[in-house]
Amino acid sequence: MTSFGHDVYDDVIVGGGHNGLVAAAYLARAGRSVLVLERLGNTGGAAISTRPFVGVDARLSRYSYLVSLLPAKIVRDLGLNFAVRKRTVSSYTPVERDGRVGGLLVGGGESRTRESFARLTGSEREYESWRAFYGRTGRLAEKVFPTLTEPLPTRAELRARIDDEAAWRMLFEEPLGRAVEEHFADDLVRGVVLTDALIGTFADAHDTSLVQNRCFLYHVIGGGTGDWDVPVGGMGALTDALAAAARAAGAEIATGHEVLRIETDGRAPAEVTFRTATGEGRVVARTVLVNASPRTLGELLGEAEPAPPVEGAQLKVNMLLRRLPRLRDTSVDPREAFGGTFHIAEGYAELARAYAEAATGELPSVPPSEIYCHSLTDPSILGPELVEQGYQTLTLFGLHTPARLFEKDNQGAREVLLTGTLAQLDAHLAEPITDCLAFDADGRPCIEAKTPLDLERELRLPGGHIFHRDLSWPHAQDQGAAGRWGVGTPYANVLLCGAGAVRGGGVSGVPGHNAAMAVLGH
């Protein structure tokens, strides 16, 4: 049994991912005794940097890539040694129409973006619609984002704060597909807009559950701007800074400690049972904060009916290249095209077809995905020799690949999907992407792919769902169990501080902050 510094802790945190570390740092800074129990041998959860390729000095953000939802308030409050950098290009989407190769470039200055829209669509009408649409979401973002670290507003309070009935109806009441089709006429432009509603979410544009709207909302409100920035030093730089801040404040962090059970009646201190390499142990806590999915929380509490199963729907691919590939579209520099988000097979009709195929149990015949190159904005993740030789990273995120597609043969389905996804990329390149791959010390190409089932196995993400469950609206729901901060459970001394909390999902630290505020009585 592990020996800790206290017999009874004020707070025991289950899971040392970034949200758990945020909560630990806030609570320890408030003078409370805090213990973090982490199953793996390192902190960080999905927000880590690793060297996945043997003998290669490239430290990649392996599972989560960009930062948008992390409030500057948390960075300031905790004194984190952490920074992000802006990408000069937002996105590039290649396309071939009537035998002509081209693409849509968003970024690099308003005039270039306007010109790119006009070249693609034949007029400036679509660009003006783009400006109006994202002007509206930008104004909404300025009002909604600050509420994420405030007590949970009611639906009526959030609606009044937004004070834009058209924006409210577009995002909170009607399927997003309706707004996309009303604002835009071009299939490619519609698809680029819709992708933000599908990252980590398996849904059709007209899904009546509005799960796609919730996903879109969180993708456009980050920082009050909707920008997605590059973490300097990789995502691990954030979680390393958080772990350092928690320890500096007095929190204890115990890795290699897998929590097995939480026993409590909701009033008396809880008993937390854990397992290490040498056996089982127990620790007592006045409050338990769980940085795991609601389903995992139910299992730890021994509930007869834990939360319903959930399903992730993404393919994640990490690559290291000896050089960026040349593009068929010679009007754009590959450094610009890959510096932003490079959309592949993400036209509006293509996305609808991929969803329909996957919903019937088939791998998408034209798999949609998007790529970006971290090292163009932040070369510090590569060793000096790799930088000098022109090496670059590529990170790919595939859409509409639900876990059910991999259940019969995970490895076989992964290989088929990866081959198909790279073929869609190759269709827009002047050379195959495999010709540009680097090789590790054992002579193997530097590429790895992760399905939802891989993420479930490695990170305990339920069904491989990167948000732990479908995203919630950023306002109070009818049941009210989540409480003032959106982190409550049926047990008063057990709080949810992970991505499955209200206003969870993504690398944000928001659930960790809010759980700490709930404990501290704010």
Side-chain angles (χ1 to χ4, degrees):
M1 178 174 174
T2 306
S3 177
F4 297 126
H6 296 266
D7 294 327
V8 178
Y9 283 85
D10 290 323
D11 310 299
V12 167
I13 298 173
V14 179
H18 81 283
N19 278 310
L21 295 173
V22 167
Y26 272 106
L27 293 171
R29 286 166 67 93
R32 298 174 67 87
S33 58
V34 179
L35 173 65
V36 179
L37 299 175
E38 166 56 44
R39 174 180 64 91
L40 298 174
N42 57 271
T43 56
I48 58 169
S49 298
T50 60
R51 290 178 173 82
F53 307 121
V54 177
V56 181
D57 190 10
R59 195 165 183 263
L60 278 61
S61 299
R62 196 170 197 177
Y63 303 109
S64 53
Y65 311 127
L66 297 169
V67 174
S68 178
L69 292 164
L70 174 68
K73 175 186 187 300
I74 292 177
V75 177
R76 290 193 307 268
D77 286 351
L78 302 181
L80 301 182
N81 181 22
F82 173 74
V84 296
R85 287 183 187 157
K86 297 289 183 186
R87 301 186 294 173
T88 57
V89 169
S90 175
S91 69
Y92 169 74
T93 309
V95 67
E96 182 175 348
R97 289 180 175 173
D98 301 322
R100 295 171 52 197
V101 173
L104 178 64
L105 181 72
V106 179
E110 182 178 350
S111 61
R112 288 193 68 195
T113 302
R114 181 186 293 273
E115 179 185 343
S116 186
F117 269 87
R119 191 183 309 117
L120 175 73
T121 66
S123 76
E124 293 194 355
R125 184 183 311 154
E126 205 78 338
Y127 176 67
E128 293 302 330
S129 295
W130 178 279
R131 287 189 62 194
F133 182 85
Y134 283 105
R136 170 156 275 153
T137 63
R139 291 187 293 274
L140 179 143
E142 291 175 354
K143 297 173 181 178
V144 174
F145 188 68
T147 70
L148 299 188
T149 50
E150 298 172 359
L152 195 61
T154 65
R155 182 178 173 89
E157 288 169 343
L158 187 63
R159 186 174 189 167
R161 186 156 179 168
I162 291 172
D163 193 25
D164 182 337
E165 283 302 304
W168 179 266
R169 184 179 67 254
M170 178 177 81
L171 291 181
F172 290 81
E173 294 186 350
E174 299 175 349
L176 183 65
R178 184 178 301 180
V180 172
E181 292 168 15
E182 286 177 355
H183 283 80
F184 305 103
D186 186 88
D187 180 85
L188 191 73
V189 176
R190 286 178 171 180
V192 172
V193 176
L194 182 63
T195 55
D196 277 341
L198 304 177
I199 297 294
T201 295
F202 184 58
D204 180 73
H206 291 277
D207 195 312
T208 56
S209 75
L210 305 189
V211 63
Q212 75 280 22
N213 290 46
R214 283 171 263 154
C215 185
F216 183 83
L217 180 67
Y218 282 96
H219 275 88
V220 299
I221 63 173
T225 64
D227 291 343
W228 286 79
D229 301 327
V230 177
V232 177
M235 199 62 77
L238 171 60
T239 44
D240 288 349
L242 286 168
R247 288 191 176 101
E252 296 177 54
I253 300 176
T255 56
H257 286 61
E258 179 182 5
V259 173
L260 303 176
R261 292 185 300 280
I262 300 171
E263 297 172 88
T264 182
D265 61 3
R267 298 182 298 275
E271 188 172 89
V272 180
T273 302
F274 58 84
R275 176 171 55 206
T276 69
T278 58
E280 289 191 6
R282 292 175 177 79
V283 65
V284 176
R286 295 183 175 88
T287 303
V288 181
L289 292 82
V290 179
N291 182 25
S293 71
R295 183 169 182 81
T296 299
L297 172 59
E299 293 168 351
L300 292 175
L301 289 167
E303 294 180 350
E305 296 184 10
V310 297
E311 181 181 43
Q314 66 288 313
L315 175 75
K316 289 177 176 279
V317 182
N318 295 316
M319 293 175 264
L320 179 68
L321 309 182
R322 291 178 288 109
R323 68 179 187 281
L324 288 177
R326 292 176 289 112
L327 302 175
R328 292 181 64 202
D329 179 6
T330 57
S331 70
V332 63
D333 187 328
R335 296 179 65 87
E336 283 189 313
F338 289 104
T341 299
F342 191 110
H343 296 279
I344 306 164
E346 290 189 330
Y348 198 64
E350 289 173 317
L351 289 168
R353 182 170 63 249
Y355 172 78
E357 291 173 341
T360 61
E362 299 293 330
L363 287 170
S365 57
V366 181
S369 63
E370 43 200 62
I371 293 177
Y372 99 103
C373 177
H374 183 125
S375 52
L376 285 171
T377 305
D378 170 34
S380 72
I381 64 170
L382 299 177
E385 290 186 5
L386 297 184
V387 173
E388 185 177 343
Q389 295 171 31
Y391 280 54
Q392 302 288 356
T393 63
L394 280 189
T395 295
L396 181 148
F397 193 109
L399 280 62
H400 287 336
T401 57
R404 70 191 79 160
L405 303 182
F406 304 91
E407 289 174 348
K408 290 183 179 179
D409 181 5
N410 185 45
Q411 180 176 341
R414 185 200 305 120
E415 292 175 359
V416 170
L417 181 60
L418 179 60
T419 298
T421 299
L422 295 184
Q424 292 306 313
L425 170 59
D426 283 348
H428 301 289
L429 303 181
E431 56 185 328
I433 189 65
T434 52
D435 286 359
C436 302
L437 288 173
F439 292 87
D440 69 13
D442 295 329
R444 293 171 298 197
C446 292
I447 181 170
E448 64 167 9
K450 305 288 185 182
T451 71
L453 298 189
D454 296 326
L455 297 181
E456 182 175 48
R457 184 186 67 253
E458 296 173 12
L459 299 173
R460 300 281 177 89
L461 295 175
H465 202 305
I466 60 174
F467 304 139
H468 291 186
R469 61 177 173 182
D470 289 341
L471 291 166
S472 65
W473 294 113
H475 57 66
Q477 304 298 306
D478 293 338
Q479 63 269 26
R484 173 176 164 82
W485 286 96
V487 296
T489 75
Y491 300 86
N493 61 343
V494 178
L495 302 178
L496 194 62
C497 71
V502 178
R503 302 181 292 188
V507 177
S508 71
V510 167
H513 168 276
N514 292 346
M517 296 304 105
V519 171
L520 298 174
H522 291 311

